[in-house]
Amino acid sequence: MITSKGKRALLILFAFIGSYLISYMMDPYSSYWTDFFTRSLSDIVEEFVVSIIFCAVISELSLFLDRWFNRKMPWTVDPIKRLVVQSFVQIIGVLLVTLITHFIFVFILEENDVEATISEVKGYWQWIIATVLTALMISAINTGNFLITNWKITAMDAVAHKIKAAEHKQAAAEAELQALKLQLDPHFVFNNLSVLSELILENQQLGYEYAENLAKVYRYLLVNSRKKLIPLGEELKFLNAYLFLIEKRMGQGVTFEIIVSQEHLRLQIPPLTLQLLIENALKHNRTTKDRPLEITIQSDAEYLTVSNTLLPLVSKADSAGIGLANILSRYSLLSAKKPIVEEDTFVFTVKVPLLP
């Protein structure tokens, strides 16, 4: 990485070469250039030394003016005014330095013994113009470097802010997802404990089996409550225990058909998605022996589809707004793919994406 001193040295070198190059391009056939290498080596070296000192002064003046204007008149406030004012001050400054240099050489060093010819006066003004243009180019280079550096800093700060915002958003999403998972516990417990107490009074053995399967379901909930996703195969294993509870609760009032391909078992869904969808179907439909509620679970390469026949209740049951809304909320945090909810006269269907 180039240091500050290195940049200054490069600017002085640029000013030195640039001033000679511009002066040559303005009048390549002047006597100054045609007779340049006929002079003695000591004269050429002396001129180069003086020119380098002069370019160093011009370069430092340009840098000083840039720093001063950056404090007093930033580019972000009024760039047009800044450009005009700085260019004007830059030209005046270079002319003053040139006149002072001329005064030193002509009057103090007494190099005025020969009257200047028209060609020399012309060359002198060409040199002034070349110096002014060089100073403006130095200022342009320094300004460009300043603006690019600030743009990089601003861009890096913006990226840092975006990263922090993304981290905060992720943390909020994690907290929200965890809260949504914890909603499952009361939804699950209150629907089953009352059934368990009734079964224990009626049939202790059946009550015991119900308690065992209830424990399996609850254990599954505890083990997987912190997971975002779980393989469909594991969810279906949990479903076996859960369906036992449903059959004992509903009897012949509900039937299930599960058609899931083996190749889809490795795909993933949020834990307890099937439980919530089945609970949603049971909550909003009648379950009678004469006309059982039919629930079908099937899969394809993209979606797991849970559909049920529509047997609306005479009076709508109270809803905590957890089931289907929970699934939709969890998918919004986990994937760009959203569940699809469809309903017609006879069937209510929810398609949940199967994630890789």
Side-chain angles (χ1 to χ4, degrees):
M1 186 175 181
I2 302 176
T3 62
S4 178
K5 290 182 178 179
K7 290 179 180 178
R8 278 182 160 83
L10 286 176
L11 286 176
I12 293 171
L13 180 62
F14 172 80
F16 175 75
I17 297 174
S19 58
Y20 274 96
L21 184 61
I22 293 173
S23 179
Y24 176 79
M25 291 174 65
M26 291 176 67
D27 190 1
Y29 300 105
S30 68
S31 58
Y32 175 82
W33 294 110
T34 55
D35 300 335
F36 187 85
F37 292 105
T38 61
R39 295 180 296 171
S40 65
L41 180 61
S42 61
D43 288 343
I44 296 176
V45 171
E46 180 182 350
E47 180 182 320
F48 281 177
V49 171
V50 172
S51 295
I52 289 175
I53 295 173
F54 180 75
C55 290
V57 173
I58 295 298
S59 177
E60 288 299 318
L61 174 64
S62 298
L63 294 176
F64 170 78
L65 291 175
D66 278 336
R67 290 193 298 269
W68 189 86
F69 275 104
N70 285 338
R71 293 193 304 270
K72 302 296 183 179
M73 194 182 296
W75 285 104
T76 53
V77 176
D78 192 343
I80 301 298
K81 182 179 179 181
R82 163 74 184 266
L83 178 64
V84 174
V85 173
Q86 182 173 338
S87 298
F88 177 76
V89 174
Q90 192 98 23
I91 293 171
I92 297 300
V94 171
L95 290 176
L96 287 175
V97 172
T98 305
L99 290 174
I100 291 171
T101 305
H102 180 75
F103 175 80
I104 292 172
F105 277 91
V106 173
F107 295 100
I108 297 178
L109 299 181
E110 298 181 350
E111 294 187 2
N112 58 342
D113 52 337
V114 179
E115 187 175 344
T117 63
I118 295 177
S119 177
E120 289 173 338
V121 172
K122 181 181 177 183
Y124 178 72
W125 279 105
Q126 287 177 350
W127 181 258
I128 291 177
I129 294 172
T131 304
V132 169
L133 292 177
T134 302
L136 292 176
M137 285 191 290
I138 291 173
S139 181
I141 292 171
N142 190 58
T143 298
N145 179 67
F146 171 80
L147 295 176
I148 290 173
T149 301
N150 279 271
W151 171 78
K152 288 172 63 178
I153 293 173
T154 303
M156 292 176 67
D157 288 343
V159 170
H161 286 308
K162 285 184 179 180
I163 292 173
K164 287 184 179 180
E167 290 174 350
H168 292 159
K169 185 177 180 181
Q170 178 66 21
E174 292 285 350
E176 185 179 351
L177 181 59
Q178 191 61 28
L180 290 168
K181 290 174 182 175
L182 293 175
Q183 287 179 344
L184 300 175
D185 291 42
H187 183 71
F188 171 75
V189 172
F190 290 124
N191 278 330
N192 288 281
L193 286 182
S194 59
V195 176
L196 177 60
S197 61
E198 292 177 7
L199 288 176
I200 291 174
L201 292 175
E202 295 176 4
N203 187 328
Q204 290 188 358
Q205 179 60 35
L206 185 58
Y208 172 79
E209 293 177 7
Y210 192 92
E212 283 290 305
N213 282 280
L214 179 60
K216 290 179 183 178
V217 171
Y218 200 78
R219 188 182 305 113
Y220 175 88
L221 186 150
L222 293 176
V223 170
N224 296 288
S225 64
R226 294 186 178 275
K227 295 180 180 178
K228 296 179 182 179
L229 295 168
I230 194 166
L232 177 59
E234 291 189 31
E235 183 82 351
L236 289 174
K237 289 179 183 178
F238 147 78
L239 191 64
N240 291 329
Y242 182 68
L243 292 184
F244 176 87
L245 304 182
I246 297 296
E247 289 171 358
K248 300 309 174 186
R249 282 168 55 192
M250 305 297 178
Q252 297 179 7
V254 59
T255 62
F256 292 93
E257 183 180 14
I258 301 175
I259 309 170
V260 176
S261 174
Q262 284 289 124
E263 62 186 22
H264 300 151
L265 296 181
R266 61 179 180 79
L267 298 175
Q268 301 189 86
I269 61 173
L272 301 167
T273 297
L274 288 175
Q275 182 221 357
L276 286 173
L277 291 175
I278 292 172
E279 285 287 347
N280 185 69
L282 296 174
K283 178 178 281 293
H284 297 288
N285 293 278
R286 300 191 308 274
T287 54
T288 62
K289 181 178 179 181
D290 295 336
R291 192 179 178 186
L293 178 68
E294 299 175 5
I295 299 177
T296 304
I297 301 171
Q298 53 190 341
S299 66
D300 57 38
E302 294 187 34
Y303 291 94
L304 180 71
T305 302
V306 179
S307 59
N308 61 269
T309 53
L310 282 175
L311 303 170
L313 296 169
V314 176
S315 59
K316 291 187 177 181
D318 294 334
S319 176
I322 291 175
L324 188 56
N326 181 288
I327 294 171
L328 296 173
S329 297
R330 284 200 284 168
Y331 267 100
S332 70
L333 297 172
L334 294 170
S335 171
K337 298 177 68 175
K338 307 300 179 187
I340 300 172
V341 180
E342 299 174 342
E343 183 177 359
D344 57 29
T345 307
F346 305 103
V347 179
F348 180 83
T349 302
V350 179
K351 297 181 178 180
V352 293
L354 292 172
L355 305 177

